[in-house]
Amino acid sequence: MKIVEMRVTPIAIADPPLLNVAGLHAPYALRNVIELVSEDGIVGAAEAHGGERLRSALEEAKADVIGRSAWDLARLAEVIEQRFTAAPREALRVSGAIEVAALDLVGKAIGVPVAELLGGRVRDEVPFSAYLFYKLAGGGGEGDDQREDRYGEALDPAGMVRQAQAFIADYGFESIKLKGGVFPPDQEIAAIRALHEALGPGTPLRIDPNGGWTTETSIRVGRDLNGILEYLEDPTNTMAGMSATRGALLADGNAMPLATNMVVTAFDHIHEAVLTDAVQVILADHHYWGGLRAITQLGRLAQTHGIGLSMHSNSHLGLSLLAMVHVAAATPHLTYASDTHYPWQDASDEIIEGGRVPIVDGKIAVPTCPGLGANLDQDALARGRERYDRCPYRERDDRTPMRERVDPNWEFKLARW
Ligand code: GKR
Ligand code: MG
């Protein structure tokens, strides 16, 4: 199944003004869309992180892809790793994206869903969690391309409860994650308590300040929210800090798991995390772990070490979501509902035929049709490309919008509190 063409299309998608420890989301988020075309004209597609740096790395990798069989994935990962020896993390983002598109291509060519190519499904639907953000007013987009602000402003506990209730009404989510690291920890503790009060003890809650707290603050929040949080995600941004937080909480008899997508982001971090008991849940992400097969391997490794598994997300569209769904279906040891930013994206930006992937009762049904289960809508892709050409953004930058809309002197700082 020879690949004869590889296309890389940068697109921009509207993104609401969501706050995090790094600042504020810009009016557009960026993605790169990869298409692989086989000699018999079948197209496999995948979504990757946005930005010009990754785009040019993907362009460079075309030399390794064109002329190769879409089945030749292990060797392809190896040659890409050799091409980018100076940037091993970049190599994984490149080979991961190409792997997803190749699996989509192979699946479409032989009439098999990607979950089956990954070893077969152990579940038919995949649970996702609501991903709440402190948010300014606005629905994303710029100028005459502004989108409806479905969820409104949310800057305090009452706003967060309203946002959670709207997400639950729209999608039926059964677990909730709050993106923290925006306000002083006591305000964010109050938001979690308000959510606990409003949604009841049966709704699992998580908070993720993206390493915005010192070890001392992490321990304090972990003590305060004991019994309320399902897990505490990246309270602090070093392995040593996570380990010290865990040690202090355990000494109190508080076994609240610590989760991460910041201190364990690659296979070579796992050994230290296990030795120091720094992490009890890993948030996997095929976009930077090296693709879908890497996530199934990570699942086995996590299970071996008694570490839980969830999935991390960034602003994305349906192709990335479907890739997550297929790999979740084929990973027995997926122990938590996964993150997704998907509800924050506007339906008019979707680039797959038939529109948005439905989330019902907080879950997505694993497709049974070939490949990822969706075809690219070329008109929608072209509109995404036009949006990219019109907008000024070329890499993710949360600092500039934060300075423009919130505080002209704002500086990114870890740990802020
Ligand atoms: O979209 O603002 C955001 C998130 O903060 C994202 O950048 C993080 O990578 O969702 C992510 C996380 O769980 O850390
Ligand atoms: Mg996180």
Side-chain angles (χ1 to χ4, degrees), residues 26-276:
Y28 293 101
L30 309 177
R31 305 295 281 166
N32 282 300
V33 178
I34 293 97
E35 291 170 272
L36 300 180
V37 187
S38 72
E39 56 195 331
D40 32 16
I42 301 169
V43 180
E47 238 182 279
H49 291 152
E52 284 298 312
R53 219 181 56 216
L54 183 60
R55 179 187 176 189
S56 73
L58 287 161
E59 291 287 351
E60 192 183 328
K62 279 182 180 175
D64 299 323
V65 174
I66 293 168
R68 185 178 295 278
S69 163
W71 287 103
D72 193 18
L73 294 174
R75 181 73 190 137
L76 177 65
E78 219 171 50
V79 296
I80 289 177
E81 196 182 323
Q82 283 153 13
R83 176 176 290 279
F84 298 102
T85 38
R89 304 292 185 237
E90 192 82 339
L92 292 173
R93 294 203 294 157
V94 170
S95 59
I98 295 168
E99 183 233 48
V100 177
L103 289 171
D104 185 37
L105 172 56
V106 168
K108 283 181 170 136
I110 65 171
V112 167
V114 167
E116 272 59 47
L117 293 176
L118 294 171
R121 62 193 68 204
V122 293
R123 51 182 73 82
D124 294 320
E125 46 186 24
V126 176
F128 284 85
S129 127
Y131 199 156
L132 310 185
F133 276 81
Y134 289 106
K135 177 183 170 299
L136 304 184
E142 269 178 331
D144 58 8
D145 186 38
Q146 290 188 49
R147 312 306 166 80
E148 186 204 349
D149 187 8
R150 162 78 186 96
Y151 296 105
E153 184 182 85
L155 296 170
D156 57 16
M160 228 18 106
V161 169
R162 274 196 305 278
Q163 193 184 94
Q165 286 166 339
F167 266 62
I168 292 168
D170 288 354
Y171 299 99
F173 290 118
E174 291 176 346
S175 29
I176 306 278
K177 163 169 169 171
L178 171 61
K179 175 57 55 178
V182 175
F183 293 113
D186 287 334
Q187 289 183 40
E188 298 187 351
I189 289 172
I192 289 288
R193 289 195 174 280
L195 289 165
H196 182 67
E197 181 89 353
L199 306 175
T203 303
L205 300 175
R206 314 156 182 179
I207 184 167
D208 171 16
N210 280 118
W213 303 334
T214 62
T215 302
E216 199 182 29
T217 303
S218 303
I219 296 167
R220 179 165 78 75
V221 177
R223 285 182 174 146
D224 203 315
L225 294 177
N226 187 17
I228 294 185
L229 290 182
E230 176 182 43
Y231 59 66
L232 177 57
E233 183 175 329
D234 286 315
T236 195
N237 75 324
T238 63
M239 192 82 83
M242 292 285 277
S243 171
T245 303
R246 170 71 170 170
L249 295 180
L250 275 184
D252 297 344
N254 172 353
M256 174 195 295
L258 301 184
T260 190
N261 58 269
M262 292 178 73
V263 302
V264 176
T265 59
F267 285 99
D268 50 328
H269 299 149
I270 293 175
H271 183 64
E272 186 186 349
V274 170
L275 284 182
T276 63

Side-chain angles (χ1 to χ4, degrees), residues 350 352-357 375 377:
E350 186 51 272
I352 55 179
E353 282 175 1
R356 277 169 78 75
V357 177
N375 291 317
D377 174 337

